[in-house]
Amino acid sequence: RFVLIKKSLPKSNKNGQLLFEEFTYEYQAIVTNVDYLTAEEVFNDYNQRCNIENKIDELKEGFAFDQNTQINRKCNELYLLIKMIAFNLNNWFKRTFLPESMHQHEIKTIRRIFYKIAGNICGSGWYKHIRFAPNKLLKKTITHLRKALTDFRKKVVLN
């Protein structure tokens, strides 16, 4: 079943310029196997879930939700529970401590920003350290993260 939605667009853009006639409508197509709802009900139901495929993809790719290698059923349940806790902790961390521009990032992007950073091991003997290449995004994110952690600590200690 196909449900097609035709929505009128404003006649002018933000700059006040008139738009061409062929761009006065926006179209959306929904493909579904639900046959007991009207077209309007399908639109209202599906329109609120437009990002669900991205969340499912993040669970599969970022947290290996589609992989259960344990032989015992109870072990698999525990394994999935640990993955759910990790997913929820990751979402809490993003929304609580990271800059607002990073709230929508998936775990793959967070890993690339924080963990997959190019660096060199420097020093000799017992004194060795890692020297990272300059990264403006990482520096800005860590500065924000330090401030957010300090503010969080103050809120927790005061309460």
Side-chain angles (χ1 to χ4, degrees), residues 3 7 9 13 18-19 23 28 34 42 51 55 59 64 70 73 79 89 117-118 122 126 132 135 145 151 157:
V3 177
K7 178 181 171 186
L9 293 175
N13 63 13
L18 291 177
L19 297 173
F23 299 117
Q28 180 179 359
V34 176
V42 168
N51 198 24
K55 294 192 183 299
L59 283 169
Q70 310 303 320
R73 182 176 175 265
Y79 196 48
L89 282 173
I117 305 168
C122 303
W126 288 99
F132 296 106
N135 185 335
L145 188 59
D151 294 345
V157 171

Side-chain angles (χ1 to χ4, degrees), residues 43-145:
F43 170 73
N44 290 331
D45 188 40
Y46 276 70
N47 203 32
Q48 301 303 318
R49 303 182 310 168
C50 61
N51 198 24
I52 195 68
E53 287 84 8
N54 293 337
K55 294 192 183 299
I56 292 170
D57 183 48
E58 182 176 11
L59 283 169
K60 284 175 32 185
E61 299 295 324
F63 293 92
F65 245 67
D66 59 337
Q67 299 172 6
N68 291 322
T69 58
Q70 310 303 320
I71 296 171
N72 187 333
R73 182 176 175 265
K74 289 290 184 185
C75 290
N76 276 332
E77 288 179 21
L78 182 61
Y79 196 48
L80 282 173
L81 182 62
I82 291 169
K83 291 177 186 183
M84 286 190 292
I85 292 170
F87 178 76
N88 288 328
L89 282 173
N90 177 60
N91 284 336
W92 174 78
F93 174 77
K94 284 192 310 188
R95 304 218 183 285
T96 306
F97 299 115
L98 294 181
E100 193 167 337
S101 62
M102 296 179 73
H103 286 187
Q104 300 302 322
H105 286 343
E106 292 185 1
I107 188 67
K108 289 190 288 186
T109 308
I110 301 282
R111 284 183 184 137
R112 189 183 72 237
I113 292 171
F114 283 114
Y115 304 126
K116 296 180 179 179
I117 305 168
N120 294 322
I121 298 176
C122 303
S124 61
W126 288 99
Y127 180 72
K128 292 190 179 181
H129 59 279
I130 298 174
R131 182 171 293 155
F132 296 106
N135 185 335
K136 291 179 183 177
L137 175 62
L138 182 62
K139 186 175 182 178
K140 178 182 160 190
T141 304
I142 288 176
T143 303
H144 182 276
L145 188 59

